[in-house]
Structure formats: structure tokens, C-alpha cells
Amino acid sequence: EILNLGMGADASIQKSLRRVRKFSPMLQRFTEVQGAFIEIDHQTGKITAMVGGSPFTSTNQLNRALQMKRQPGSTFKALLYAAAMEAEQITAASIFPDTPLVFLDAEGDAWLPENYSGDYTGFINIRNALTNSTNVVSVAVAREAGMDTVHPILAQIIDVKEKEIPRNY
């Protein structure tokens, strides 16, 4: 469902999903998309708004904004892509291979970045790679754009001084 929404699903798909859920409360419970949102005043650091998911009920007492464990890597992908676009190294339509990659470090040890699902889709554009949070494409973008190119732009985007970012990549 979330892929359909992200890809601009037509109303008939959404109508069908609502009809199925209406007659199956258990299915609705497990297929409803959940999310969280926190708004922070970047000047003061104070939280100005927070939504923790669906309404608090006897069957849903989880505040996703505070209680879910999240990995920041997927958030960073959007920043990496933005920096590479700002550097005019890629566009949303740029195509990259979503295929297994092997990198060797200075000692000859292999690193194989993988997608969370363990699957690969072949060639994919940046727009879809971001929508699907494709790890392998993010690595390819970082290599293609060049970390020396995107590093200063990333520092500016996240408002971190150059000297505060380790350069051991």
C-alpha cells in the first residue's frame, strides 16, 4: 500500500483497500500505514509539534515518535541525494544499478553493501531508489558524485562545521 501511495496510486486502488478493510477489522489493524512526525525549532532545539501515530487506544498504546527504534541511515539517503543533485552530479531521473556490489578496502577485506530486503531490482532511477530506500544505490551515488564533492554540501545542509565531520571514508 505504501508503495502505491508513493507512486501515485489511483483512487480505485484506495477504494478497494478501504472496502476490504471495512469488512475485515483484523486486516485493517495490520495493514494500516503508521508513521510519526516531530517538528523541532532549529534555532532553539525545542519540539514544537509531535504526532506519534494513530490515536491512543486500549489496543494501540505505542507512541512511534518516542518509542520506536529507527536507523538514521535511510534519512541520510535523502540528504546524500540532495547534495549530489546540488553538485549537479545526478538528477531524480539518473539511473543506477541496484545490483550486488563488492568493495575491497586497503587490507583486501571485502565489503558487500546490501538492501534491507536482500533483493535487487536491476536498474533504477534515483526517485525510485529513494522511495524504496535502496542502500546499494546510495553507495553508488556516493561513489559516482564523489564524497569530496558532496561532503561540503552535506555539511552545509545539516549545518555542521567542516572540522566537526570525520574524514575517514
Side-chain angles (χ1 to χ4, degrees):
E1 177 183 7
I2 198 161
L3 288 175
N4 284 334
L5 291 171
M7 303 296 279
D10 62 47
S12 64
I13 293 172
Q14 296 307 313
K15 281 185 192 174
S16 298
L17 286 171
R18 281 193 290 276
R19 196 169 38 249
V20 167
R21 288 187 183 131
K22 180 178 179 182
F23 296 107
S24 179
M26 286 301 286
L27 182 61
Q28 179 178 359
R29 179 176 172 212
F30 293 109
T31 59
E32 191 171 292
V33 175
Q34 293 288 320
F37 173 79
I38 296 179
E39 178 184 73
I40 300 174
D41 181 330
H42 73 278
Q43 292 180 333
T44 65
K46 292 182 180 180
I47 295 174
T48 55
M50 178 174 61
V51 177
S54 61
F56 185 85
T57 65
S58 61
T59 59
N60 178 27
Q61 298 187 11
L62 178 64
N63 180 335
R64 283 166 177 74
L66 298 176
Q67 296 170 302
M68 293 297 293
K69 294 183 182 197
R70 291 169 292 285
Q71 294 181 348
S74 291
T75 301
F76 192 76
K77 288 173 190 155
L79 300 175
L80 172 67
Y81 294 165
M85 287 179 192
E86 182 71 21
E88 298 180 355
Q89 299 296 310
I90 65 167
T91 69
S94 295
I95 304 290
F96 282 86
D98 177 23
T99 58
L101 299 173
V102 178
F103 297 98
L104 298 177
D105 63 17
E107 289 80 36
D109 294 325
W111 174 55
L112 293 87
E114 297 178 28
N115 294 326
Y116 180 78
S117 66
D119 296 331
Y120 302 95
T121 58
F123 289 93
I124 186 171
N125 65 33
I126 293 299
R127 183 179 291 111
N128 290 327
L130 183 58
T131 300
N132 297 316
S133 192
T134 308
N135 295 331
V136 173
V137 172
S138 298
V139 173
V141 167
R143 291 180 54 86
E144 175 81 18
M147 286 306 293
D148 287 336
T149 300
V150 296
H151 185 264
I153 299 169
L154 280 170
Q156 184 179 7
I157 289 172
I158 60 177
D159 195 27
V160 174
K161 306 297 179 252
E162 281 280 334
K163 64 182 180 188
E164 297 173 356
I165 301 176
R167 295 186 133 254
N168 58 352
Y169 47 82

